[in-house]
């Protein structure tokens, strides 16, 4: 078996970005008012994990941990919508656990075909044809595509086996798997020959079950010594444990009883997931291996009574001569059958719909203070799925698009909530988190509605149309009169100095005198 076995990787997944909508107007001969015809952008692809029976390791994800789904295509004119990005489906082994970067369990993928969406793709932006209303007949803007989600997850593989063989290195676990099943793991006469878990299928009567050979455990394995910490997770899914004890060990400080106590201590120290039976409380069988060696048979006779006092059945077997293997296989099958009978009946997964509450606002406004503690500055932060998504889809280089965003926020009730929190005109308002936040100065006097729009691509509400005050009007009138008086005075000075003379009808006779 290949030693390139990877059972834990960190996956950096990025969903595809949604395509931008198109702002287009239909142009055709003899149809001057064709109307908007911009199509919508396509949805970005999702990054999906799927259990594939042909995949047995996470090696491919270990070599290429960064995966991105295709983006959606942009919308086009003539009501042509952009193509959606294809989903990126990644095959994982059966028994893969998905955790967040903080360690929270996201999914336990068991069974062929099980799927889990790691990073959803972004929504496509609406074109101006979809944004047209009775008041905004020809929008001069379109919505941008929403960026896809980016997420780092930890994938852990836990082998799906019914029975796990545990014991010290060179106790003969791989030899037992090879003798009980058709598996052919690597077997040698030195410790830690097994570097990866080996699986074998065993049939005992009408019961068929899977046996896992876990790499050798040593004292301190639960704390990371040896290979035990990396592979003890593969024991978590097993319903029964088989302690394989070396009856012919050459080490003078070891015997089957002390080996059993050491392994039991490591299993008790290992922490399993919540809701899982601890390893030390699971059904177990004790096996004294290498009965083909005379010293091993004598050792088994000596320690058998002490081992049976611990409450587990004891079998003396030999993987070489196949002594006692039939009785052992039927004993394991009995534990597996009892566990399967006690397991609750599988029921189909029910689809539960959780619609939002009727009175749910969908956003929240919080008051924040920052800067100098003695004279702090105040800002108001708006959080929520809708405001965050709307900000991402807004083209801030287009005034009409910015005005449309203001209309949506006003209809959602953000302005009323800002009033309640004590916001005043000119207050700093932040929408979203610090990473992708939009900051602006709040002006509550902005009128909402498409009826105040100007030409396409502009919004009159964003232009400076403040009415002058009476004092400003008086000052403007004084400046106008002063300018007129100065102009009259300059003309009078030029006339008196003889620069020019004119008769009553405005014609000059050339002699410098006015006609009577």
């Amino acid at each position: 078996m290949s030693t390139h076995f990877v059972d834990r990787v960190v996956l950096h997944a990025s969903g595809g970005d949604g395509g931008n909508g198109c702002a287009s107007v239909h142009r055709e001969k003899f149809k001057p008012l064709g109307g908007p015809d911009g199509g919508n952008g396509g949805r970005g692809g999702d990054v999906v994990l799927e259990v594939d029976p042909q995949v047995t390791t996470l090696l491919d994800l270990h070599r290429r941990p960064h995966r991105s789904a295709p983006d959606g295509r942009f919308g086009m004119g003539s009501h042509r919508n952009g193509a959606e990005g294809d989903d990126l489906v990644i095959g994982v082994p059966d028994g893969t656990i998905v955790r967040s970067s903080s360690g929270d369990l996201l999914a336990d993928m068991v069974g062929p075909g099980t799927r889990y969406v790691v990073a959803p793709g972004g929504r496509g932006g609406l074109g101006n044809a979809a944004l047209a209303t009775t008041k905004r007949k020809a929008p001069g803007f379109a919505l941008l595509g929403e960026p896809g989600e980016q997420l780092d997850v930890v994938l852990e593989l836990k082998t799906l086996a019914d029975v796990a063989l545990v014991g010290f290195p060179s106790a003969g676990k791989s030899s037992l798997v090879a003798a009980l099943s058709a598996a052919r793991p690597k077997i040698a006469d030195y410790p830690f020959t097994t570097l990866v878990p080996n699986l074998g299928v065993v049939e005992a009567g009408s019961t068929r079950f899977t046996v896992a050979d876990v790499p050798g455990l040593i004292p301190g394995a639960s704390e990371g010594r040896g290979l035990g910490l990396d592979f003890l997770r593969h024991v978590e899914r097993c319903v029964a444990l088989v302690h394989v004890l070396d009856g012919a060990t050459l080490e003078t400080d070891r015997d089957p009883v002390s080996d059993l106590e050491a392994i039991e201590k490591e299993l008790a120290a290992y922490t399993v997931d919540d809701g899982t039976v601890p390893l030390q409380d699971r059904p177990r069988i004790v096996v004294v291996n290498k009965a083909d060696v005379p010293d091993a048979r004598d050792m088994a006779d000596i320690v058998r009574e002490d081992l049976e006092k611990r409450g587990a059945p004891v079998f003396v077997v030999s993987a070489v001569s196949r002594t006692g293997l039939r009785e052992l296989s039927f004993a394991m099958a009995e534990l597996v059958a009892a566990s399967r009978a006690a397991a609750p009946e599988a029921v189909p997964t029910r689809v539960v719909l959780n619609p939002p509450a009727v009175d749910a606002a969908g956003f929240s406004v919080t008051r924040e203070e920052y800067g100098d503690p003695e004279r702090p500055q105040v800002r108001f932060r708006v959080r929520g799925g809708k405001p965050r998504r709307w900000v991402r889809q807004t083209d801030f280089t287009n005034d009409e698009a910015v005005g449309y965003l203001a209309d949506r926020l006003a209809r959602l009730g953000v302005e009323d909530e800002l009033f309640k929190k004590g916001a005043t005109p000119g207050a700093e308002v932040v929408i979203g988190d610090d990473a992708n936040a939009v900051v602006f100065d709040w002006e509550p006097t902005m009128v909402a509605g498409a009826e105040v729009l100007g030409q396409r691509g502009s919004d009159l509400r964003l232009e400076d149309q403040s009415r002058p005050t009476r004092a400003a009007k008086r000052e403007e009138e004084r400046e106008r009169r002063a300018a007129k008086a100065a102009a009259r005075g300059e003309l009078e000075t030029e006339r008196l100095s003889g620069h020019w003379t004119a008769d009553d009808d405005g014609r000059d006779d050339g002699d410098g005198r006015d006609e009577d």
Side-chain angles (χ1 to χ4, degrees):
M1 183 176 179
S2 175
T3 58
H4 293 287
F5 181 83
V6 179
D7 62 350
R8 188 181 188 277
V9 297
V10 178
L11 173 63
H12 309 278
S14 301
D17 298 338
N20 298 340
C22 177
S24 173
V25 176
H26 182 69
R27 291 175 175 85
E28 187 178 348
K29 189 176 182 180
F30 305 121
K31 290 185 178 180
L33 301 177
D37 65 348
N40 303 331
R43 180 188 63 86
D46 301 336
V47 178
V48 183
L49 299 178
E50 183 177 6
V51 175
D52 187 353
Q54 302 301 323
V55 179
T56 59
T57 178
L58 300 175
L59 180 61
D60 188 38
L61 290 175
H62 173 72
R63 293 173 174 171
R64 295 189 299 145
H66 297 270
R67 300 296 180 93
S68 301
D71 299 335
R73 303 295 295 273
F74 289 5
M76 293 174 285
S78 300
H79 299 281
R80 290 176 294 176
N81 296 332
E84 296 185 353
D86 297 331
D87 294 339
L88 177 62
V89 181
I90 304 174
V92 295
D94 197 0
T96 302
I97 287 182
V98 185
R99 298 184 184 274
S100 64
S101 55
S102 60
D104 298 331
L105 179 63
L106 301 178
D108 189 356
M109 307 187 65
V110 178
T114 303
R115 296 168 64 96
Y116 176 72
V117 180
V118 178
R123 301 182 182 180
L126 297 179
N128 64 343
L131 297 173
T133 62
T134 55
K135 295 182 179 180
R136 183 184 281 107
K137 297 182 181 299
F141 69 99
L143 298 184
L144 304 179
E146 186 178 1
E149 292 190 14
Q150 298 182 359
L151 189 65
D152 296 340
V153 295
V154 179
L155 304 183
E156 295 181 355
L157 174 59
K158 294 184 178 181
T159 304
L160 291 175
D162 299 305
V163 180
L165 305 183
V166 296
F168 271 72
S170 298
K173 301 183 296 297
S174 299
S175 299
L176 280 179
V177 172
L180 291 170
S181 66
R184 292 296 176 262
K186 181 180 180 181
I187 300 174
D189 58 351
Y190 54 84
F192 295 110
T193 305
T194 301
L195 300 178
V196 299
N198 298 313
L199 296 180
V201 179
V202 181
E203 291 187 3
S206 60
T207 305
R208 185 174 182 177
F209 56 94
T210 307
V211 177
D213 167 24
V214 181
L217 304 179
I218 61 175
S222 60
E223 300 175 358
R225 294 186 60 188
L227 300 176
L229 181 64
D230 293 334
F231 294 105
L232 272 177
R233 70 171 64 96
H234 296 282
V235 184
E236 291 189 35
R237 297 187 186 273
C238 300
V239 298
L241 303 178
V242 175
H243 286 279
V244 182
L245 306 178
D246 189 354
T249 178
L250 299 178
E251 300 180 23
T252 57
D253 58 342
R254 285 180 50 196
D255 60 80
V257 177
S258 62
D259 289 355
L260 177 62
E261 292 177 350
I263 297 302
E264 287 281 359
K265 182 179 179 180
E266 296 305 319
L267 295 178
Y270 183 77
T271 303
V272 298
D273 295 334
D274 296 337
T276 305
V277 179
L279 299 182
Q280 69 274 15
D281 296 338
R282 301 188 186 184
R284 62 199 60 226
I285 296 175
V286 178
V287 173
V288 180
N289 196 14
K290 304 182 182 179
D292 55 293
V293 180
D295 292 341
R297 290 196 300 269
D298 297 339
M299 179 63 70
D301 295 337
I302 296 173
V303 301
R304 188 182 189 103
E305 184 177 355
D306 293 338
L307 296 177
E308 289 178 346
K309 290 180 180 180
R310 301 177 180 273
V314 179
F315 294 87
V316 180
V317 303
S318 171
V320 176
S321 63
R322 307 183 68 87
T323 302
L325 295 185
R326 178 177 175 82
E327 293 80 1
L328 175 61
S329 61
F330 275 91
M332 292 189 294
E334 183 179 355
L335 294 180
V336 173
S339 175
R340 294 175 179 174
E345 183 180 357
V347 295
T349 303
R350 298 177 59 188
V351 179
V352 180
L353 301 179
N354 296 316
V358 177
D359 56 348
F363 71 95
S364 63
V365 178
T366 56
R367 177 189 175 97
E368 299 179 354
E369 296 183 356
Y370 66 99
D372 188 3
E374 298 181 358
R375 301 181 62 183
Q377 300 181 10
V378 179
R379 64 188 176 193
F380 298 86
R381 186 177 297 274
V382 181
R383 292 186 175 90
K386 288 184 178 180
R388 182 174 62 253
R389 184 174 71 252
W390 293 347
V391 166
R392 290 179 177 180
Q393 294 182 322
T394 299
D395 180 10
F396 288 93
T397 62
N398 189 305
D399 290 344
E400 189 176 355
V402 176
Y404 180 70
L405 173 63
D407 293 343
R408 303 177 83 178
L409 294 176
R411 288 193 298 267
L412 188 61
V414 174
E415 185 169 305
D416 296 338
E417 190 66 20
L418 288 172
F419 271 119
K420 294 179 182 179
K421 296 295 183 179
T424 57
E428 180 181 352
V429 177
V430 182
I431 299 180
D433 299 327
D434 293 333
N436 299 309
V438 174
V439 184
F440 62 93
D441 295 333
W442 181 52
E443 294 296 339
T445 57
M446 180 173 288
V447 180
E451 61 274 3
V452 297
L453 296 177
Q455 60 182 354
R456 294 180 64 250
S458 64
D459 195 316
L460 299 179
R461 296 169 295 179
L462 301 180
E463 300 178 2
D464 187 11
Q465 294 183 343
S466 57
R467 297 181 58 185
T469 61
R470 292 185 178 181
K473 290 181 178 180
R474 294 193 186 99
E475 182 65 23
E476 184 180 357
E477 182 65 19
R478 283 196 294 267
E479 292 178 357
R480 187 178 64 82
R481 292 182 179 180
K484 284 186 176 181
R488 292 194 185 98
E490 184 178 356
L491 292 177
E492 183 65 19
T493 301
E494 292 178 356
R495 189 184 67 80
L496 294 178
S497 62
H499 288 180
W500 58 271
T501 58
D503 53 8
D504 293 339
D505 59 0
R507 291 177 298 175
D508 189 0
D509 60 359
D511 58 359
R513 294 180 300 175
D514 295 339
E515 294 182 355
D516 296 333

